[in-house]
Amino acid sequence: MRRALPFLVLLLATTACGVAEPDSGSGVEPPVRTTSSGIPDAQDSAFTGGEAGREAGPNIGTAAAPDVAFTYRYGFRLGADRIAAVQGQHQEICERLTLARCRITGMSYRADNARDVEAMLAFAVDPAMAGAFSREAVQNVTAAEGAIAESEITGENAGTPLRANQRGRADLEADLARIETRLRGLDPMSAEKSGLETRAAQLRTQIRAMREAGDAQQATLATTPVLFRYGSGRHAPGPAPTPTLGETARDSGETALAGLLLLLRLIIIAAPWALAGLAGFWIVRRLARHMPTNAQRTETDAA
């Protein structure tokens, strides 16, 4: 019995160590909060950073770049008969966010034939929702058996120039305030007044220009441009895929048919001229038969 006690103690300790609270590596993930629109909350999934998913494309966190104005560009490869439907789904995502967070700024759709279709949708999205918006849009594409052919996220540092603009404008406004205070204390006939008024006008012009530039820089941080391009067949974005045997045979048949149609068109165009030439040749032959030869003319003259 004494010999069995150490073994039982060791067995109980091993069992106790095997029971632990679930951690981040246990496969249990916290629930993702969603907004009222149904899109995952930006703080939880839209901009958490980390690696890019194969289906979602790049994933960049705004916490690491708060002063950067991003631009999202995606190229989707889809079946020609599904492009219009996916475009409509992406429009619905934007409408759920309301105009305060998403606006459609451009749209196009062009079908050369049943297989070669290209389309585009451009949005201006709230920066906090741009990542979640793009990821849900990609899910719509994959659900329609499409794929991302291209994805690009570019950024421009707008915060640093904006702060420099604000500091420069504050300095100019302080100079203008001092000049205006000085002008109020001068005699109307003072010789100094004209120069100060000219300087004040120059400062107002500079302040107005800097305010407009600052508003433009602020606007780049207020919204994120998101561009979706859709394509099928010859208009599919990204590298051209290797055609299958069936596609090669179909393309060869279409090429042969196009060549036959071209030949038929040339025949139709040339037919009137060919008929006119044959008619002229026949008329000349007929006239030549009825015209007397030189020998016949000589015999007639001799007679």
Side-chain angles (χ1 to χ4, degrees), residues 30-34 40-41 44-45:
V32 176
R33 294 197 304 270
T34 59
D41 185 72
D44 281 332
S45 72

Side-chain angles (χ1 to χ4, degrees), residues 32-35 37-46 128-129 132 136 139:
V32 176
R33 294 197 304 270
T34 59
T35 61
S37 64
I39 292 180
D41 185 72
Q43 294 180 354
D44 281 332
S45 72
M129 302 302 301
E136 183 171 351
Q139 291 174 2

Side-chain angles (χ1 to χ4, degrees), residues 165-175:
N165 179 290
Q166 292 171 345
R167 288 193 299 268
R169 192 173 66 190
D171 294 340
L172 294 178
E173 289 173 347
D175 292 341

Side-chain angles (χ1 to χ4, degrees), residues 184-207:
R184 285 192 294 269
L186 289 177
D187 184 85
M189 302 303 294
S190 174
E192 184 182 0
K193 184 176 182 180
S194 177
L196 290 175
E197 287 178 342
T198 300
R199 176 58 180 162
Q202 294 174 348
L203 288 174
R204 292 190 187 96
T205 301
Q206 294 176 6
I207 291 171

